[in-house]
Amino acid sequence: MITTEQREKLRGWFAGRLPDDLFEELAELTVDREEITVIGRIPAPRLSEGVSATEREAAVRSRIQEFRERTRQARIEVAAEAEHQFRRKVSWGVECDGERALFTHVAAPVMTRLRQPERQVLDTLIAGGVARSRSDALAWCVRLVQKHTDDWLAELRNSLEHVQRVRAQGPDAEPEDAPSDTE
């Protein structure tokens, strides 16, 4: 978990480092222990009025694919610098005409121990065709919780930031000039 200040420094680094013509706007930057996900907004394809939803969807998908191929080298260069400096993998995505696409992202393994009633929940999801494995079922459960608890999770993250700020003021805090993991 990083603080708002660290996230702002990181966002500022990317805003300053990304080529001016890469995105219309840096839409979102998300960080965790393993990964930095950079999502930029790109222009929607120019289409005539009244085109079908199918044509619009195909045009947006093509625009995203064209952007991905055309900008690959520039994104690799920025990612290499960022990965060296921040010690996290960099993943990329775009927003185009209301559609979001991730090009790359880390799928980090997470180990857990579950008791039988919890395993039975996962096994029921598998038997019902919701998931192929316990791992898929657990990921499905996490997405379901995430979908229904965004406000609660945001409040929890804010509380954790406050705890980190208070902890940083304690007697064991690093000196101000010591580099943090996002500098």
Side-chain angles (χ1 to χ4, degrees):
M1 177 91 193
I2 68 170
T3 64
T4 299
E5 182 181 351
Q6 291 170 324
R7 185 176 293 106
E8 288 171 355
K9 284 181 182 179
L10 194 62
R11 187 176 172 89
W13 185 91
F14 274 95
R17 177 56 185 87
L18 291 173
D20 288 336
D21 61 346
L22 188 64
F23 298 127
E24 286 183 325
E25 172 187 19
L26 179 57
E28 185 178 316
L29 191 127
T30 308
V31 183
D32 68 10
R33 286 186 284 181
E34 293 85 18
E35 178 179 29
I36 300 167
T37 303
V38 180
I39 299 180
R41 191 164 291 112
I42 62 173
R46 291 188 197 138
L47 301 170
S48 13
E49 291 293 322
V51 298
S52 70
T54 303
E55 184 176 342
R56 180 173 304 282
E57 182 181 324
V60 167
R61 259 188 277 123
S62 294
R63 172 62 52 95
I64 291 169
Q65 188 61 36
E66 181 277 332
F67 174 87
R68 182 179 187 182
E69 298 303 321
R70 178 175 45 84
T71 63
R72 178 167 297 175
Q73 192 56 44
R75 290 183 294 108
I76 287 171
E77 290 170 11
V78 172
E81 280 182 50
E83 288 171 5
H84 176 74
Q85 184 165 350
F86 303 116
R87 294 178 182 90
R88 292 173 171 91
K89 285 294 196 188
V90 175
S91 298
W92 298 94
V94 295
E95 284 183 1
C96 180
D97 199 29
E99 293 293 319
R100 180 175 281 206
L102 289 176
F103 301 152
T104 55
H105 50 281
V106 173
V110 178
M111 295 295 294
T112 187
R113 295 186 184 278
L114 300 176
R115 300 197 186 285
Q116 188 178 36
E118 297 152 339
R119 293 190 310 266
Q120 287 175 331
V121 169
L122 301 181
D123 292 344
T124 300
L125 293 172
I126 294 166
V130 173
R132 293 180 311 236
S133 65
R134 284 181 172 175
S135 178
D136 285 345
L138 188 56
W140 183 89
C141 290
V142 169
R143 287 190 301 274
L144 181 66
V145 169
Q146 179 185 24
K147 180 179 178 181
H148 294 290
T149 60
D150 283 340
D151 293 338
W152 181 82
L153 288 174
E155 188 175 334
L156 181 61
R157 287 183 186 110
N158 288 336
S159 296
L160 289 171
E161 275 188 38
H162 179 72
V163 168
Q164 286 180 333
R165 282 193 304 272
V166 171
R167 188 179 296 141
Q169 296 169 1
D172 296 331
E174 293 181 16
E176 286 292 319
D177 58 345
S180 71
D181 64 348
T182 61
E183 294 185 322

